[in-house]
Amino acid sequence: PRPHYTLPSGDKIPSVALGVWQASKGEVGQAVKAALAAGYRHIDDAWAYGNEKEVGDAIKESGIPREDIFITSKLWNSFHAPEDIEASLDESLSRLQISYLDLYLIHWPIAFKKEPYEKERKIVVDVALTENPYPTWKKLEELVDKGKIRNIGVSNFNVWRYENLTSNPLKYRPAVNQVELSFGNPQPELLAWAKLKGVLLEAYSPLGSSRQVKETLELPIIKKVAKDLGLTPAQVIISWHVQRGVVVLPKSVHENRIQENFKIVALPQEQFNLIERAAVSKPPQRVVNPSKGWGLDYDIFA
Ligand code: A2P
């Protein structure tokens, strides 16, 4: 299987990363160390996960040269205003204890007003910056030129939101779009669109997250393919993702699972087709959708 993809900048992005969303304090550092020891060279973090300091400590303590590791973080919704971005990026860099990020994503296509969110966690949508994320993007391009970020991208953008951003004159087009992709939510239309447009997708919650992982790994078809190929169900799912042409970000805080998730194979076409058909043939179940929680009167993904 493909060990990495090449981004528009020419940088290589390893196809499997350790995801650290919901990896809590006190366990995320050990997870990062276990991943680096197992051969992972790609960590997917975010300002909002609240664990950048511990992740940074673990990277440092691993002794692996910083430039050998691909490190992603994400700009939180309350910092989309151009004047707020650099300070938030600097906070991520200082917590991670590095001088540049390999990839920095706009975490969500929704901008919150900073003050009410910071003062009382009150969500007030900045409608102008949400409808037009171009000023945010221009500032990110500036920070690339300043050397603080090597690649910029987006996350949770549906097609029209992506095209709304990229219809502007861009100096750097989004290197990736990180979205939910799993057996339960395989998004075949989004994937087909991405292939057509040359947009690299990254799969978060690739195993179905804590909510769906158990039922996914116990599906008879997944168990059967795993048995036939001498793999574990998780390895089958992660291999399937890579074969679909996306970056995969499985999260685990357990050393044995972290090692397991890194051993992927090229699935025979027949088995790949079986899984693909089974995944797309039933109604999708999305795990992550904060639209209601954020008080929006629309669905972010619609
Ligand atoms: P844990 O961190 O306790 O290992 P996703 O990557 O889709 O978000 O899924 C992460 C969920 O799947 C977490 O609950 C994680 O739990 C669990 N998980 C990760 N890898 C495996 C695995 N190889 N086998 C079983 N469960 C796993």
Side-chain angles (χ1 to χ4, degrees):
R2 191 153 31 171
H4 58 73
Y5 302 92
T6 303
L7 300 175
S9 66
D11 284 358
K12 292 185 167 33
I13 182 169
S15 54
V16 180
L18 179 74
V20 296
W21 179 47
Q22 292 180 323
S24 17
K25 287 198 176 137
E27 48 184 26
V28 70
Q30 287 308 316
V32 169
K33 280 188 206 164
L36 293 172
Y40 290 69
R41 290 295 179 270
H42 180 179
I43 312 288
D44 184 82
D45 208 344
W47 182 91
Y49 300 167
N51 58 21
E52 288 174 312
K53 168 74 169 66
E54 195 173 324
V55 168
D57 286 344
I59 290 172
K60 215 165 203 181
E61 285 161 26
S62 77
I64 294 168
R66 188 271 167 261
E67 60 276 14
D68 291 355
I69 308 175
F70 192 101
I71 306 173
T72 299
S73 188
K74 310 185 190 86
L75 177 73
W76 186 240
N77 308 355
S78 50
F79 307 118
H80 282 207
E83 64 274 20
D84 296 329
I85 296 175
E86 189 164 11
S88 182
L89 169 65
D90 286 346
E91 198 165 63
S92 288
L93 291 173
S94 117
R95 288 176 180 166
L96 287 162
Q97 304 153 66
I98 54 181
S99 61
Y100 70 92
L101 283 172
D102 293 280
L103 180 60
Y104 198 42
L105 307 181
I106 299 181
H107 203 151
W108 288 93
I110 308 291
F112 296 167
K113 294 204 164 155
K114 183 165 174 260
E115 291 280 312
Y117 188 76
E118 286 209 325
K119 287 207 176 110
E120 40 178 338
R121 285 284 176 269
K122 187 170 166 226
I123 293 169
V124 181
V125 173
D126 185 325
V127 177
L129 268 180
T130 297
E131 286 182 355
N132 176 19
Y134 188 48
T136 303
W137 191 258
K138 280 220 291 219
K139 182 66 194 187
L140 292 174
E141 289 179 332
E142 243 178 79
L143 295 167
V144 172
D145 291 335
K146 221 172 161 181
K148 293 189 178 190
I149 321 169
R150 293 192 52 95
N151 301 277
I152 47 179
V154 298
S155 182
N156 294 300
F157 277 54
N158 63 11
V159 171
W160 74 260
R161 288 181 189 278
Y162 187 97
E163 284 174 351
N164 177 40
L165 170 62
T166 57
S167 62
N168 293 289
L170 306 185
K171 182 162 185 192
Y172 306 113
R173 68 183 178 93
V176 304
N177 184 13
Q178 183 177 131
V179 296
E180 180 180 312
L181 287 170
S182 62
F183 185 91
N185 184 24
Q187 306 214 59
E189 297 84 5
L190 185 68
L191 187 68
W193 165 84
K195 287 216 166 130
L196 195 70
K197 298 277 175 158
V199 176
L200 181 62
L201 298 183
E202 295 189 316
Y204 73 69
S205 300
L207 298 170
S209 197
S210 51
R211 262 171 56 193
Q212 288 178 1
V213 60
K214 202 165 174 293
E215 80 175 76
T216 300
L217 299 185
E218 282 176 4
L219 288 165
I221 178 177
I222 300 300
K223 279 167 71 176
K224 164 114 180 44
V225 171
K227 188 158 176 272
D228 290 349
L229 300 178
L231 300 169
T232 68
Q235 289 166 341
V236 168
I237 297 283
I238 296 166
S239 300
W240 165 70
H241 279 293
V242 175
Q243 218 148 321
R244 295 180 103 207
V246 307
V247 176
V248 200
L249 318 167
K251 173 264 178 186
S252 180
V253 293
H254 294 101
E255 186 172 11
N256 56 337
R257 291 177 174 173
I258 290 168
Q259 292 170 350
E260 174 188 339
N261 294 348
F262 198 62
K263 294 190 194 114
I264 55 165
V265 302
L267 299 173
Q269 196 62 42
E270 188 191 331
Q271 273 85 353
F272 173 82
N273 291 345
L274 263 175
I275 301 170
E276 183 70 24
R277 275 199 299 267
V280 304
S281 66
K282 39 166 206 41
Q285 269 189 295
R286 189 181 280 282
V287 177
V288 180
N289 191 344
S291 306
K292 282 208 185 85
W294 293 348
L296 306 178
D297 57 9
Y298 53 87
D299 184 334
I300 295 171
F301 300 107

